[in-house]
Amino acid sequence: MTTTTEPAYDYADLPRLMGRMTGAEKHGPAATSTLDALWVLYDRVLDVTPERMDDPGRDRFLLSKGHGPMAYYAVLAAKGFLPVEWLEDFGSYDSPLGHHPDRVLVPGAEIGSGSLGHGLPLAVGTALGLKARGQSEARVWVLVGDAEMDEGSNHEAVAYAGPAGLERLHVLVIDNASASYARPGGIAARFEAAGWSAETVDGRDHEALYAAFTAPHPGRPRVVVARVEPKEYAGEPKSA
Amino acid sequence: MDTMRDRLAPVLTRLLDEDPRVAVVLAEIGKDGFTEAMRDHPDRVINVGIREQLLVGAGAGLALAGLRPVVHTFASFLVERPFEQIKLDFGHQGVGGVLVSAAASYDWPAGGFTHMSPGDVALLDTLDGWTVHVPGHPDEAEALLRHAVAAGDDKVYVRLSVQANEQALAVDGARFLPVREGRSGVVVAVGPMLDQVLAATEGLDVSVLYATTVRPFDEEALRRAVGAGPSADVVIVEPYLAGTSTSAVNDALADLPHRVLGLGVGRRELRRYGTVEEHTAAHGLDAASLRGRITGFLGERTRAGVVS
């Protein structure tokens, strides 16, 4: 698998990288909603590099909300997981980069996603597996959308992981107010009720995101709800 | 005789002791057998509560972390309810695991249709790359469970049932076994159907093959049993949805004129309680019904070998 080492890209380069992907404008708002949170994670929080993708002790990032993966691909390219040149053919027959990512095709992608409600249960299992293998340092992050939290599978995972004390597990909820029925009390309250450590921050504020991502939470899984501007359209069913 | 399911916890407990890669995931059902294993291996025996989507998703997550997950509950809740999790969390992610079901097609008739899963193997047939074991005896279940766990990162389904044959055969996790030879057709008996099939074909001039690993389908064994004739007649008797393996038989005999009769559990919901035997009869899978259906399909020549 081709990977690029020593990338020289920064946050300011991401719009240009995303601009290289064409033909999927409908994914635009869904893609940019995750951009800042993804950047802060990959730039300052996650302990993973392209060279360490076979290292069982690496941190795992699972993109559950696979819709609108342009920001994800741009960050992976910026960090050298995949060649920047791949971005040009986004969505084409010969491209490894689809409108939903495939872990078998995309270097750096821990899961293939598209259908909502799969990443969080997979992350629970991955956290359990790393614990069973004695990888005590490795952390698991999973990104979900606020509407994705409607899926019952996510409720199963939230209700289990809190009482089970899965402290390596982290959920990042990108809240662009896309759920048809807002949650009374807010998203974080649902997690807190299940025993999670929870915090809600401005999803565009890099320092706030970093502080929330790195806050200690001994004995409990952690959720960070990153609020971003509401989605401007409702073009795709279940676009999370 | 104990049941296949009685073997599950003891076998897996030994495998948990022997192999640090093995993990067991449960959703309350079956947990009592794992009390000791849970104490000895708390990180590798996981009960997620009554949460079947999480059960399968977490099992696949364990595989992503490098473990060999064994996921168990009743077939309805293991294969049917979280079917998309099986398709995506194992198949699409490209990871393997072992799914072990209990309750089968009608193991608990008094429990009604909610706990029946005659369609499980047909559902898995819509996916790529699943090995399917259908043991016909607790000893075979034990052997096939060990094969399943040892099968690298393969995706394997093991279907346990209270229906069982009197005698265990030496199954190897791959091949069909020739049990009887004849010239007027081949009857393939799957797992717990063998005793009924042998009784049904007593004195008939037919070959009987015994299949406990139905996917991949042992095409070579069927070709050998069919022989060098210009055509072939095949009956397959399965303990799940009738016709599930008919296309596999067709594929095996694609270059030979042939007829296939697929017998198994009917699609129509009976809405009856009662006993396993009553349901077997209702689906026409008891020996007397099978004999009539098999001879009706193969015709008078099956009786050529009968010594009255």
Side-chain angles (χ1 to χ4, degrees):
Chain A
M1 196 69 79
T2 309
T3 53
T4 312
T5 53
E6 299 300 321
Y9 295 96
D10 207 341
Y11 177 71
D13 298 307
L14 296 178
R16 184 167 49 84
L17 291 174
M18 291 180 69
R20 296 178 76 148
M21 289 171 266
T22 56
E25 284 80 7
K26 69 193 179 80
H27 277 293
T32 57
S33 69
T34 62
L35 184 65
D36 295 278
L38 280 171
W39 177 256
V40 172
L41 270 180
Y42 272 91
D43 193 48
R44 298 169 69 181
V45 178
L46 294 174
D47 184 18
V48 62
T49 62
E51 295 74 27
R52 288 183 56 211
M53 284 307 293
D54 292 329
D55 178 356
R58 72 187 183 281
D59 282 352
R60 309 302 201 271
F61 174 79
L62 280 58
L63 183 76
S64 184
K65 192 186 80 70
H67 304 57
M70 293 155 77
Y72 183 50
Y73 291 150
V75 170
L76 287 178
K79 289 297 176 184
F81 287 90
L82 55 88
V84 167
E85 298 72 44
W86 285 14
L87 301 176
E88 308 282 356
D89 300 322
F90 176 54
S92 73
Y93 186 77
D94 290 321
S95 174
L97 308 184
H99 292 192
H100 298 128
D102 183 339
R103 75 180 290 267
V104 174
L105 302 177
V106 183
E110 296 284 0
I111 61 167
S113 56
S115 294
L116 301 175
H118 288 261
L120 183 41
L122 283 168
V124 166
T126 304
L128 288 165
L130 292 172
K131 189 177 170 203
R133 292 190 73 187
Q135 299 291 346
S136 55
E137 300 303 314
R139 295 162 298 177
V140 180
W141 282 85
V142 56
L143 184 153
V144 302
D146 66 300
E148 186 180 2
M149 288 309 299
D150 289 355
E151 295 283 4
S153 54
N154 285 334
H155 288 256
E156 293 186 4
V158 170
Y160 167 78
L166 291 188
E167 64 181 5
R168 317 264 167 68
L169 178 65
H170 304 77
V171 174
L172 166 59
V173 183
I174 300 296
D175 180 7
N176 60 352
S178 59
S180 293
Y181 300 94
R183 280 169 186 71
I187 295 166
R190 290 294 175 94
F191 284 86
E192 283 173 336
W196 290 56
S197 162
E199 187 174 344
T200 301
V201 296
D202 176 351
R204 300 301 185 193
D205 182 336
H206 290 199
E207 291 311 315
L209 285 165
Y210 178 75
F213 289 163
T214 54
H217 50 93
R220 292 192 292 170
R222 169 84 167 164
V223 62
V224 175
V225 180
R227 280 194 172 138
V228 296
E229 61 285 359
K231 195 163 55 172
E232 295 163 4
Y233 73 104
E236 184 187 4
K238 297 191 84 179
S239 64
Chain B
M1 189 164 70
D2 62 351
T3 67
M4 298 179 194
R5 193 165 172 236
D6 291 333
R7 305 291 181 91
L8 177 66
V11 168
L12 287 178
T13 296
R14 282 197 292 280
L15 292 172
L16 283 159
D17 291 340
E18 293 166 7
D19 184 351
R21 217 176 144 236
V22 174
V24 173
V25 196
L26 305 166
E28 298 296 348
I29 287 169
K31 69 177 179 182
D32 290 350
F34 289 93
T35 307
E36 190 181 323
M38 209 172 277
R39 191 187 63 225
D40 293 346
H41 308 288
D43 289 342
R44 289 190 288 128
V45 182
I46 296 146
N47 174 23
V48 300
I50 308 170
R51 299 184 176 98
E52 286 84 13
Q53 295 182 70
L54 178 62
L55 172 79
V56 176
L62 285 159
L64 284 169
L67 296 175
R68 179 70 171 157
V70 182
V71 181
H72 169 66
T73 187
F74 291 161
S76 312
F77 316 137
L78 181 65
V79 177
E80 294 177 327
R81 183 182 304 208
F83 183 71
E84 197 199 33
Q85 272 74 17
I86 295 175
K87 171 186 148 192
L88 295 181
D89 299 355
F90 283 102
H92 183 55
Q93 306 305 336
V95 297
V98 181
L99 306 182
V100 184
S101 74
S105 296
Y106 47 82
D107 277 8
W108 184 31
F113 193 64
T114 57
H115 285 61
M116 298 179 184
S117 183
D120 54 350
V121 178
L123 270 171
L124 287 175
D125 268 348
T126 66
L127 306 178
D128 182 42
W130 282 87
T131 298
V132 177
H133 296 311
V134 187
H137 186 278
D139 290 353
E140 297 169 2
E142 188 163 338
L144 293 172
L145 280 168
R146 287 183 171 277
H147 276 292
V149 174
D153 289 315
D154 285 0
K155 301 184 290 283
V156 187
Y157 179 59
V158 187
R159 188 182 207 262
L160 306 182
S161 179
V162 298
Q163 292 186 266
N165 305 310
E166 285 296 320
Q167 303 292 327
L169 297 182
V171 300
D172 66 359
R175 307 260 69 97
F176 296 174
L177 299 176
V179 178
R180 189 178 280 172
E181 286 197 27
R183 293 164 297 176
S184 301
V186 176
V187 182
V188 182
V190 175
M193 302 315 301
L194 180 62
D195 281 357
Q196 310 274 25
V197 166
L198 287 176
T201 56
E202 185 67 41
L204 300 183
D205 186 25
V206 298
S207 293
V208 175
L209 278 180
Y210 181 46
T212 50
T213 299
V214 291
R215 302 289 181 278
F217 193 84
D218 187 356
E219 298 192 351
E220 282 180 29
L222 182 62
R223 291 300 300 241
R224 270 197 305 275
V226 162
S231 65
D233 289 338
V234 177
V235 181
I236 182 158
V237 186
E238 304 180 274
Y240 35 78
L241 203 60
T244 297
S245 295
T246 301
S247 66
V249 174
N250 275 324
D251 290 347
L253 305 177
D255 60 345
L256 190 68
H258 63 273
R259 298 187 305 141
V260 189
L261 175 64
L263 301 180
V265 176
R267 197 172 249 99
R268 184 174 62 86
E269 189 182 334
L270 293 180
R271 296 190 189 278
R272 296 281 187 163
Y273 299 105
T275 66
V276 167
E277 290 72 23
E278 286 168 322
H279 281 248
T280 296
H283 290 291
L285 296 174
D286 59 298
S289 301
L290 284 175
R291 189 176 182 90
R293 297 166 85 186
I294 291 168
T295 54
F297 176 72
L298 295 177
E300 284 306 309
R301 61 204 172 88
T302 58
R303 297 178 183 279
V306 175
V307 181
S308 56

